[in-house]
Amino acid sequence: MFNFRDLFQWDRFITPTIIKTFYWLVIAMIVLFGMSGVFSGLAAMAVSPFGGFLLVLSSLASILVGIVFSRIVAEFVLIVFRINEHLGAIRDQQGFR
């Protein structure tokens, strides 16, 4: 887990331990902004039913795309750190220190 001392030492990366927290914060923001768009679309239906309906559909689609995209970005960050760990293990096996 994450220790406060890890902030001041460079022996261990802290990003892999806190990436899940950032992922859930991004998901919450995506859902909040998406729901804001849905409610705006519902309000716009009073003026233009078709335009409001398109806004509701595009807001729901943006929620789905945003969640998938944020998961891809979070996994990419974790993969980069995992590659670093594996390369370090290979280096240690070969004795290149």
Side-chain angles (χ1 to χ4, degrees):
M1 190 65 188
F2 175 70
N3 288 328
F4 187 71
R5 291 185 327 193
D6 291 338
L7 290 175
F8 303 108
Q9 296 176 354
W10 292 96
D11 297 335
R12 190 172 152 246
F13 292 113
I14 62 169
T15 304
T17 58
I18 62 172
I19 192 71
K20 291 178 185 176
T21 304
F22 283 117
Y23 170 72
W24 286 108
L25 287 174
V26 169
I27 293 297
M29 287 177 40
I30 288 170
V31 169
L32 287 175
F33 284 125
M35 293 308 292
S36 171
V38 167
F39 290 132
S40 296
L42 291 175
M45 280 186 179
V47 177
S48 171
F50 183 69
F53 180 70
L54 285 179
L55 185 58
V56 169
L57 285 181
S58 66
S59 296
L60 292 174
S62 68
I63 291 173
L64 181 66
V65 170
I67 290 172
V68 170
F69 183 72
S70 64
R71 178 65 186 231
I72 290 170
V73 170
E75 286 182 3
F76 179 74
V77 169
L78 288 175
I79 285 171
V80 169
F81 282 97
R82 191 159 297 151
I83 288 171
N84 182 36
E85 290 174 3
H86 290 310
L87 287 175
I90 291 170
R91 181 192 64 217
D92 292 341
Q93 278 182 343
Q94 301 296 325
F96 286 126
R97 266 209 174 195

